[in-house]
Amino acid sequence: MNNIRIALREVIPNRLRTTSRNQWPNLTQTRFYARATSFPDYFQNPIFRKEDQAKLIENNELSKLAAIPVKPPAACETSSVYYDPLVNKVINHVMKMGNKQLARSLVEKAFENIKRKQIERYHLASTPEEKAKILLNPKDVLHRAVENCKPLLQLLPIKRGGITYQVPGPITEKRSLFLAVKWLLDASNDKERTVHFPEQFAWELLDAANNTGKVVKRKQDLHRQCEANRAYAHYRWQ
Amino acid sequence: MRLSSVLFTAPSNISARRPQREPIPFQMLLPLKLKKTVSGKGDKLKEAACMQELAVMFACFKKSEFDQQQCLKEVSSFQNCYKDYYKRAKVQREQGKKGVLVPGEKNLTHRQVNMLLRSFPPKP
């Protein structure tokens, strides 16, 4: 269906497109490219969420952006209520060879597993206090899991006097998010062949959301190593 | 006894292999004035940022067996400190790169100093 829509967009000339909008209310904002495209680096990333656009209008920055060329948003980047940047990020990390459909189905299957397990727990819980504690929304579980897995520090190899020291230092927000998602996927892929990925991923997410499990241990191990090497911390600044 | 060795080690103004004879004549190898630019070698940021917060956080971690939940205050103070430092360094870097002069700024980067020197060249 989507393909037909896109094909139609290409066929319908600009003038007609506005009139046909009523007929095709679901026309997406994405543009169709025959092959992977790359844009020069002065192209800005698109701002496709309504709340972000509202913020721009509030700060009077819209007119500044209007003169700059902007990349078209990807097909998955919509202003739908179901869009979640973190979920999209995880899907992109799961993806292999550009097969996004499969990656998305795997992550969604994992979400389904989480939902089933949490509902089971919910019905097994006896008191209302226990019930209130259980996270039923798989996206909330994912958010909490990633938050618990994010490292605070990193070790950087710095060479001093012919010896490479592992020097602890602060980590950027972006890199800590990357490491958290990577560690979660590493832990999920470290499994028996008979266990499927969505099942293992669901378990890892639930464990991490509970602040236990392999990934949280890995983060704590990194912190321990940083603590052991704290004597070298001042090498960062020399 | 050989006299030649004494002759060859005596101070001389001709041979560069012997000690020079006082007074040593002055030679001007470089022009005797300051350059119109400064080099940027000593301009790297050497501030040891957030070491205090890091130490406090490690102490808390050690006390609570690396459970982050018990050290939320220390963790957030460390992260805020790093965020502030990063922001400051970024602003300084950008302004330094452009050579923008900030009025009232005491610590100038080499680009800013060069900018100043270019606009007010030192008299020869």
Side-chain angles (χ1 to χ4, degrees), chain A residues 5 55-56 67 69 100 118 128 134 158 165 167 199 230:
Chain A
R5 241 180 249 156
K55 220 178 275 170
L56 275 185
K100 189 140 180 168
Q118 293 297 79
I134 294 168
I158 289 179
Y165 295 101
V167 177
E199 205 173 320
R230 74 180 185 280

Side-chain angles (χ1 to χ4, degrees), chain A residues 147-148 150-153 168-173 211 219-220 223-227 230 233-234 236-238, chain B residues 45-51 54-55 57-59 61-62 65-69 75 78-79 82-83 85-86:
Chain A
E147 200 52 48
N148 285 341
K150 273 185 181 178
L152 301 168
L153 301 156
I171 190 169
T172 58
E173 183 67 17
N211 217 359
K219 182 193 75 173
Q220 286 176 351
H223 288 173
R224 266 198 193 102
Q225 216 177 340
C226 286
E227 207 267 339
R230 74 180 185 280
H234 62 274
R236 260 185 90 78
W237 315 104
Q238 283 177 5
Chain B
L45 211 59
K46 274 187 177 170
E47 186 186 359
C50 305
M51 296 298 273
L54 189 71
M57 196 173 74
F58 277 144
F61 273 169
K62 214 166 191 183
E65 297 269 306
F66 288 87
D67 183 14
Q68 216 172 295
Q69 299 299 322
V75 167
F78 172 70
Q79 280 179 330
Y82 178 59
K83 231 176 264 172
Y85 166 76
Y86 188 74

Side-chain angles (χ1 to χ4, degrees), chain A residues 7-41:
Chain A
L8 265 174
R9 273 200 81 186
E10 300 299 301
V11 170
I12 300 169
N14 235 344
R15 197 158 37 82
L16 286 178
R17 208 178 286 159
T18 46
T19 54
S20 67
R21 196 149 272 177
N22 298 332
Q23 216 178 331
W24 299 92
N26 290 334
L27 277 178
T28 52
Q29 277 193 326
T30 53
R31 273 181 70 184
F32 176 73
Y33 289 97
R35 58 187 71 82
T37 52
S38 69
F39 291 89
D41 50 4

Side-chain angles (χ1 to χ4, degrees), chain A residues 118-131:
Chain A
Q118 293 297 79
I119 285 181
E120 194 184 345
R121 271 184 203 166
Y122 183 80
H123 287 305
L124 283 174
S126 47
T127 58
E129 291 92 57
E130 279 178 38
K131 284 190 180 186

